[in-house]
Amino acid sequence: MARSPRRDLLAGLTVAIVALPLALGFGVSSGLGAEAGLATAVVAGALAALFGGSNLQVSGPTGAMTVVLVPIVAQYGPGGVLTVGVMAGVLLIGLALLRAGQYMRYVPAPVVEGFTLGIACVIGLQQIPNALGVAKPDGEKVLLLAWRALVEFVAFPNWTAIGLSVGVAAVMLAGARWKPTVPFSIVAVIAATVIAQVFRLDEAAPIGDLPSGLPAPSLAFLNASAFGSLLAPAVAVAALAALESLLSATVADGMTVGQQHDPDKELFGQGIANLAAPLFGGVPATAAIARTAVNVRTGASSRLAALTHAAVLAVIVFAAAPLVSKIPLAALAGVLLATAIRMVEVGSLRAMAKATRSDAVVLVLTAASTLVLDLVYAVIIGLVVAGALALKAVASQARMEQVDFRPDLPGEHSDEEHALLAEHIVAYRIDGPLFFAGAHRFLLELSEVSDVKVVILRMARVTTLDATGALVLKDAVEKLNRRGIAVMTSGIRPGQRQALDAVGALDLLRLEGREYATTPEAIAGARKHLERAGLLPRTHHRPHRIRKAAR
C-alpha cells in the first residue's frame, strides 16, 4: 500500500470523529467518567501508535475492557483501576520480552467468535440504565443490573432518554447500511444534543463538566500494599489487552495487502500505552477493532493516521470540553448499543455453528461464560474445551490393526511354513499418535491378544509419542511377557526414543534383544525365538537377505 500523508491525515480525522462518542461512552461505562475515556484515547492512542507493531492499529478504551473494569471499580475504586492499568502495562511488556505474541495464532476461531458475541451482549446490557434514563443500580452482574434498571423504568418511565438512545442507535444502524463511509455516530450524537438543548429536555441527563485539558501526570493513586490483591485483576486486564490487540492487528492485516504486524512489538506498544494512560487518569486500553477497521477502510497506510486520531481528540479535549459536556448520556448509550449490535456477525456465527458440533459447543460455551462469568475465564474455558475436543478428534484418528506379515517375511517359504509361522506370530501396525488422549485403548487391545507366542509391533507410522504412550507400551510388553508372549518392535523413530528411554521401555526391549530397525529383522528375530522355544523346526530356517527398506 503506497503511503500518502494527506490520506493518512484524512483517515485519522475520520477515526477521531468515530472514536469521540465511543471514548466518552466507554469512559462513562467503566465508572471513571467521560474524561477518563478521552484521556485514554489521547495518551494510549498516541503511544500505542508510536511503539506498537502495526502500522494501522488504533488503540483506546474498548467495550471488552470496560466489561472487565466495571467489577474492579466496584471493588477497588478508581485508584484500584489506575493501579491495575500500570500493573497490566508491566505484564504486557514482560509478555513482549518473552516473545509470547506468536501464540495468538493458536486461539481457535470459535473461541474468538464466542468471545466477541459475549462481549457484545455484555456491552448492550451495560447500557440499559443510561438508555432508560435511570440511575445505575448497585452490583456487578450485568444481567441483574439490566433487570433492576428495567424494574425501575417501569415504576418511573423516562421516555425522553429511551427516545434519544433508540433514535441514535437507529440512525447509526440505518446509516451504516446506507452510506458506510459516513460517521453517523457523531451525526446522531450532535443531533441528540441539539434536540436536548433546544427543547430543554431535562430528563436527558448530560455527561457533565469535563476538564479543559489533560491532568498533570501523577502516581498518587499507587498503593503498594494493594499490589497483591490487584495482581489477579491486572493479569485479567493484561490477558484481555493482549488478546484483543493481537486479534485486531490480525484483522487489519487481512484487510490490506502488504501489511504485516509484529505481535511482540505490538504487545510492547500496548504495555507502554497502559503504563502511561493511568498517569493521566485514563483507564486500561487495547487496540480497537472497530476503529482500526474504519482507519483501514478510509485509506490509512501508516502510523500517521492513528497519531492524527489522538491529536484531534486532544484538541477536542482542550477546545471543546464545554460543548462535549452537554452530550446526553442516553445518546452515548445509543452509540454503544448500536456498536454492540454491529459487533455480532450473524453470517460468521452461523457458519461457525454449522462447521462441526465441536465448534458450535465451543462458541456457545465461550459466549455464555463471557456473559455469566467474565472475559478471561470465558477465554480460558473456551481454550480448554476446544483443546479437549481437538485432542479427542486427534486421538480418534489413531488406530492399531493386525496386518499380514508374509510380504515382509525374509527368504522363500512354502505354504506349510507360512501357516506354521502365522500360528505363532501376529503383527500389528500402529498408525497416528500414541499419546495420553487415547493410548490406554491400545493397552486394552494388546492385552486381549492370545493363542500366539510372538507379537510384532510395527511403529514406523506412529506420528506422536508422549510419556503416557511410552508407559502404555511398556505396560503392554510387560503384561504380554508375563503371559509368555514375546514382543518385538520395528521402526521406532529417533524422535520417539527420548520418551521410551525415560520410562524404561527401551531398556526392557533391549534386555530381551527385541528392538529392530525393520519389520523383516523383527520377523527374523521372532523366528529365532520360536526355534529356541522348540516351536519351529530349525530345518525350516534358510539363509536369507533382509530387505532393509521394509518397515
Side-chain angles (χ1 to χ4, degrees):
M1 182 184 290
R3 293 190 176 184
S4 170
R6 182 178 178 181
R7 193 164 55 185
D8 284 332
L9 291 171
L10 180 59
L13 175 61
T14 304
V15 175
I17 293 172
V18 172
L20 176 60
L22 293 174
L24 294 170
F26 289 136
V28 172
S29 294
S30 71
L32 268 70
E35 62 272 20
L38 284 173
T40 305
V42 173
V43 178
L47 292 176
L50 283 172
F51 296 101
S54 171
N55 291 329
L56 305 174
Q57 193 96 280
V58 179
S59 298
T62 64
M65 187 60 75
T66 300
V67 173
V68 175
L69 296 180
V70 169
I72 299 176
V73 173
Q75 186 170 357
Y76 301 103
V81 171
L82 300 180
T83 303
V84 162
V86 172
M87 295 173 68
V90 173
L91 291 173
L92 285 167
I93 292 174
L95 288 174
L97 296 177
L98 292 173
R99 305 188 67 80
Q102 57 185 313
Y103 297 107
M104 171 61 195
R105 64 177 180 267
Y106 296 117
V107 179
V111 174
V112 175
E113 292 292 342
F115 175 75
T116 305
L117 175 60
I119 289 173
C121 293
V122 174
I123 292 172
L125 290 169
Q126 281 181 340
Q127 308 316 310
I128 296 299
N130 284 338
L132 299 179
V134 301
K136 184 179 178 182
D138 294 331
E140 300 175 15
K141 301 298 182 182
V142 289
L143 286 169
L144 184 59
L145 292 178
W147 174 252
R148 288 176 177 171
L150 283 170
V151 170
E152 186 172 347
F153 175 80
V154 170
F156 305 98
N158 184 339
W159 299 110
T160 299
I162 195 171
L164 289 175
S165 60
V166 171
V168 168
V171 169
M172 286 182 62
L173 294 174
R177 285 180 171 272
W178 178 45
K179 285 191 176 296
T181 57
V182 176
F184 279 97
S185 58
I186 196 69
V187 174
V189 167
I190 291 174
T193 305
V194 170
I195 290 171
Q197 292 298 310
V198 170
F199 293 98
R200 301 184 181 277
L201 301 177
D202 297 333
E203 298 89 347
I207 291 175
D209 293 338
L210 291 175
S212 297
L214 295 175
S218 171
L219 285 172
F221 58 85
L222 281 181
N223 181 3
S225 62
F227 284 177
S229 60
L230 292 174
L231 180 59
V235 170
V237 168
L240 177 60
L243 178 68
E244 191 170 15
S245 297
L246 295 179
L247 174 61
S248 176
T250 302
V251 170
D253 290 347
M255 295 175 66
T256 60
V257 177
Q259 293 282 357
Q260 189 69 34
H261 75 282
D262 182 333
D264 297 311
K265 189 176 179 182
E266 180 60 28
L267 290 180
F268 180 79
Q270 294 297 331
I272 295 295
N274 279 284
L275 268 177
L279 306 186
F280 297 88
V283 296
T286 78
I289 296 177
R291 276 158 272 179
T292 299
V294 171
N295 196 39
V296 174
R297 291 192 187 110
T298 49
S301 59
S302 73
R303 299 168 191 264
L304 177 60
L307 288 170
T308 302
H309 139 270
V312 170
L313 290 177
V315 171
I316 292 173
V317 170
F318 281 99
L323 295 176
V324 173
S325 66
K326 298 183 184 299
I327 295 174
L329 289 172
L332 294 182
V335 171
L336 299 188
L337 284 171
T339 301
I341 293 171
R342 292 173 63 181
M343 286 175 66
V344 180
E345 296 285 348
V346 177
S348 179
L349 291 174
R350 186 183 294 117
M352 203 67 62
K354 288 182 177 179
T356 66
R357 183 178 298 178
S358 296
D359 289 333
V361 168
V362 172
L363 188 152
V364 172
L365 189 59
T366 305
S369 301
T370 303
L371 189 59
V372 177
L373 301 174
D374 67 44
L375 275 68
V376 177
Y377 280 130
V379 172
I380 292 173
I381 290 171
L383 289 175
V384 169
V385 173
L389 292 173
L391 286 175
K392 180 182 177 182
V394 171
S396 66
Q397 296 174 0
R399 64 185 185 275
M400 183 178 70
E401 57 186 9
Q402 185 176 341
V403 294
D404 185 3
F405 62 83
R406 284 183 295 179
D408 297 307
L409 184 63
E412 297 179 1
H413 300 273
S414 65
D415 290 340
E416 291 80 7
E417 290 173 317
H418 285 155
L420 188 59
L421 289 169
E423 181 181 346
H424 298 294
I425 302 174
V426 64
Y428 288 97
R429 183 176 63 215
I430 303 176
D431 289 330
L434 186 59
F435 69 132
F436 71 92
H440 289 88
R441 177 161 52 90
F442 294 106
L443 176 60
L444 293 175
E445 291 183 31
L446 283 174
S447 299
E448 294 174 358
V449 174
S450 60
D451 299 329
V452 295
K453 292 299 179 181
V454 179
V455 171
I456 298 175
L457 297 179
R458 301 174 58 175
M459 300 183 61
R461 296 188 182 183
V462 174
T463 56
T464 302
L465 180 71
D466 68 353
T468 304
L471 279 171
V472 165
L473 184 64
K474 179 185 176 184
D475 289 345
V477 172
E478 290 176 339
K479 282 182 169 62
L480 292 172
N481 286 347
R482 284 197 293 269
R483 292 167 49 197
I485 301 174
V487 180
M488 314 286 178
T489 61
S490 69
I492 296 176
R493 297 182 180 182
Q496 299 163 0
R497 291 184 171 276
Q498 181 177 352
L500 291 168
D501 263 329
V503 302
L506 282 183
D507 291 338
L508 180 64
L509 293 169
R510 291 189 189 115
L511 184 64
E512 302 291 338
R514 294 172 181 170
E515 185 209 344
Y516 299 94
T518 66
T519 299
E521 289 176 332
I523 295 172
R527 180 171 183 163
K528 289 180 181 179
H529 173 78
L530 295 175
E531 289 175 353
R532 289 194 298 269
L535 299 173
L536 191 68
R538 292 182 181 274
T539 54
H540 286 186
H541 179 64
R542 298 175 183 176
H544 57 267
R545 181 169 57 87
I546 296 174
R547 290 170 291 164
K548 294 291 184 182
R551 292 281 177 177

